[in-house]
Amino acid sequence: RLAALLHRSRVDTAAPPLRLNVHDYNLSLALPRHWLEAHPLTGTDLQQEREMLAAFGITLTVGTLPA
């Protein structure tokens, strides 16, 4: 589901560098700040995904990679 959100345009462009950590029911996703700012619709979709996952007891935290 996260891969589909991050590749929303379905165009053959490289995915942004990212870091995903998973521990039990906690997901932590980090993306470059400039990429998140340039893709506000994806940011909104990630917020909605966070809310949907919370209903299943899964925590999604979205942050930025260190510069």
Side-chain angles (χ1 to χ4, degrees), residues 6-66:
L6 295 173
H7 191 60
R8 68 184 299 125
S9 67
R10 313 294 189 260
V11 177
D12 287 337
T13 58
L18 60 89
R19 183 176 60 223
L20 178 65
N21 292 316
V22 180
H23 181 70
D24 295 330
Y25 294 97
N26 300 303
L27 309 175
S28 176
L29 176 65
L31 297 157
R33 179 178 305 280
H34 69 277
W35 191 90
L36 282 171
E37 291 170 353
H39 297 86
L41 293 177
T42 302
T44 299
D45 284 347
L46 287 168
Q47 172 62 31
Q48 291 174 344
E49 187 69 12
R50 179 180 19 236
E51 293 167 6
M52 192 279 308
L53 290 171
F56 296 99
I58 300 170
T59 301
L60 171 63
T61 304
V62 178
T64 58
L65 290 170

